[in-house]
Amino acid sequence: MSGHSAYVPKSGFGKWMDARLPLARLVYDSFVAYPVPRNLNNWYTFGAILSLMLVVQLLTGIVLAMNYVPNTTMAFDSVEHIMRNVNYGWLLRYMHFNGASFFFIAVYIHIFRGFYYGSYKNPREVLWILGVIIFILMMATAFMGYVLPWGQMSFWGATVITNFFTAIPIVGDSIQQLLLGGAVVANPTLNRFFSLHYLLPFMIVGVVILHVWALHVTGQTNPTGVEVKSEQDTVPFTPYATMKDLLAMTVFLLVFAYFIFYMPNFLGAPENYVRADSLKTPSEIVPEWYFLPFYAILRAITFDIGIPFTDIVLINSKLGGVMAMFGSLLIFFVVPWLDTSKVRSATYRPLFKQFFWIFVLVCIGLGYLGAKPAEGIYTTLAQILTFWYFFHFIVILPVLGLIEKPKPIPASITEAVLAKNGVAKS
Amino acid sequence: MSATDTTEPTRRDILYIATGAVGAVGVASFAWPFIDQMNPDASTRALAKVEVDISSVETGRSLVVKWQGKPIFIRNRTEKEIEEANAVSLEDLKDKIARNENLKDSSAAATDANRVVSGKENWLIQVGICTHLGCIPLGEQGDFDGWFCPCHGSHYDTAGRIRKGPAPENLLVPPYEFLSDTLVKIG
Ligand code: HEM
Ligand code: FES
């Protein structure tokens, strides 16, 4: 999609600048004249919403950091100080706290959009991989941010998650010590988590730039999955995409605002308003909602994996759970190669479409189970859903591409649009 | 890439490799302080030993003290608890190793005797950290009357041995020593 530039500097200064640092040209070519498919629907606005949320988190985070103290004796009090004494502190903190949740809502919709429309397929593999990297960095950032208020969930969440590393044979304990700065979660841990929580969002900004760059090399997909073939298939980014994105952002921000003002603690655990106590584990440790599906997968592996009919254990349940959890995330990286179908969009893949929705339900189910106690029927259900989660990627995606008979694919985006909306207006 | 087209390595090739090797060592030694600063610092490492007065812990009661930031469970076990622990056959244990840092043999069997000091079988002293993912188990609970970890449902028996749930190992017995009948030194 890159190619000749249509930018013509108007003012004298514009011409002078353009010959020295063509920044205005870059912006014009990327966000004004840039051609986008004419049939993009609302699911395609979440990229813009994600960029907005990243800015919201950066701005609110930087001002929170002006009032927050990363020390175990003062962290909890400093967050209460932000809530009660700092001018508008309550608003800034609730924006940051709910902002993390809304960031994840947007990223999950964005990812499932990608699954549905086959956005990861040739030639967009690198674009997809950069997206997965952003997702992982986001999870690390949110995890460390959640430790900062130093409540009970902060402390015990950090304890449980960093203990994952002790599952690694031989070097596990040393790695955990290196991460925590001690044998247990304590002040050194809080200090470094604050430093990294400040750093990672800026690394995310860097990867987002690469992500958008890759996007502008290959161009966007669209609901038909057919590549852009002529200028007729596209509209200029401004005003079409700009306005659509702005409208979607506004609606999204309205819901966000409703949460901030009317139910600011709905998405959080009340337990985190209790100061961290290193001698008392809360009766139920539940991570933030956006981690629940992965948490359910972690807890689903309650059995050792070994050589049948012997006592030899190859992977104990602890290591197994950790591997399954990381595996459920890392498998995203190879999705472009697991999906063997040449057809991109689920619109023309009747079987895939059904399995897509089953997969969505499986993920929601895992999320539900992640918040339930790990016992009895809940564990069994989590095991079934975990099995299906991996089955979807490892078996269904490759096999469907071979056996499915896709519906007839339109010759072009324009043809599909006209077929749907009736009369051709030339 | 060789500097000339001869098949033999030249003086120049050797110089390239030597320079590269010195550079790699330099980078690694420059990086090390940045990594090692994350390891436990001197003040954290200094908290290596504590002495605990256990005279107030009656039979059937427990005490939790902090050692190196970790909770240490000190339990004065009842006769019944000791009997229960002894009645278990090794076959039924998920982790058959004692996990007692005071024993010379690190693969000693997880009998009740191997997890306590002989003559003081009533005192069970262990690190109160679930060997699954680090929560603190609750005492006198669970299916085996020992400890129960609420985080992901691990059950330990009255000798602190893992019996059910995702935890892989028995609760760790830390290095300790009875200085007198009422004083223990942990660490
Ligand atoms: C990717 C973007 C970010 C995400 C997903 C994120 C997420 C979070 C979360 C979940 C919390 C816990 C909120 C709570 O329970 O109170 C938090 C706290 C915090 N974050 Fe961020 N954050 C991001 C960016 C930033 C940035 C750029 C800064 C700048 C320094 C920052 C500074 C802070 C501070 C000071 C706190 C502690 C105050 C508090 O708990 O409200 N964050 N963050
Ligand atoms: S931490 Fe105890 S069962 Fe998971």
Side-chain angles (χ1 to χ4, degrees), chain A residues 4 24 34 63 66 69 77 96-97 141 147 175 183 234 302 308 330 345 371 383 406 416:
Chain A
H4 70 98
Y34 181 71
V63 291
M66 295 179 185
V69 188
D77 293 332
H96 195 76
F97 173 60
T141 307
V147 177
I175 293 181
T234 66
T302 52
L330 296 180
S345 169
Q383 285 167 344

Side-chain angles (χ1 to χ4, degrees), chain B residues 26-57:
Chain B
V27 169
S29 45
F30 181 71
W32 179 242
F34 289 81
I35 297 167
D36 194 38
Q37 60 82 22
M38 289 180 71
N39 271 318
D41 59 36
S43 73
T44 308
R45 290 195 307 266
L47 309 165
K49 285 182 170 44
V50 287
E51 286 181 16
V52 191
D53 177 5
I54 52 173
S55 56
S56 63
V57 188

Side-chain angles (χ1 to χ4, degrees), chain A residues 145-223:
Chain A
Y146 194 59
V147 177
L148 302 184
W150 208 242
Q152 273 289 68
M153 281 298 171
S154 301
F155 184 90
W156 291 102
T159 298
V160 167
I161 306 278
T162 52
N163 257 289
F164 290 171
F165 293 92
T166 62
I168 304 169
I170 305 165
V171 291
D173 288 333
S174 319
I175 293 181
Q176 192 215 13
Q177 285 223 346
L178 186 77
L179 289 175
L180 297 183
V184 289
V185 175
N187 199 51
T189 321
L190 178 61
N191 252 291
R192 64 191 58 189
F193 277 18
F194 179 57
S195 171
L196 295 175
H197 184 70
Y198 212 133
L199 169 70
L200 287 192
F202 292 92
M203 294 182 60
I204 294 178
V205 171
V207 187
V208 166
I209 291 172
L210 296 181
H211 188 71
V212 174
W213 183 10
L215 172 72
H216 284 197
V217 171
T218 61
Q220 273 165 289
T221 59
N222 65 83

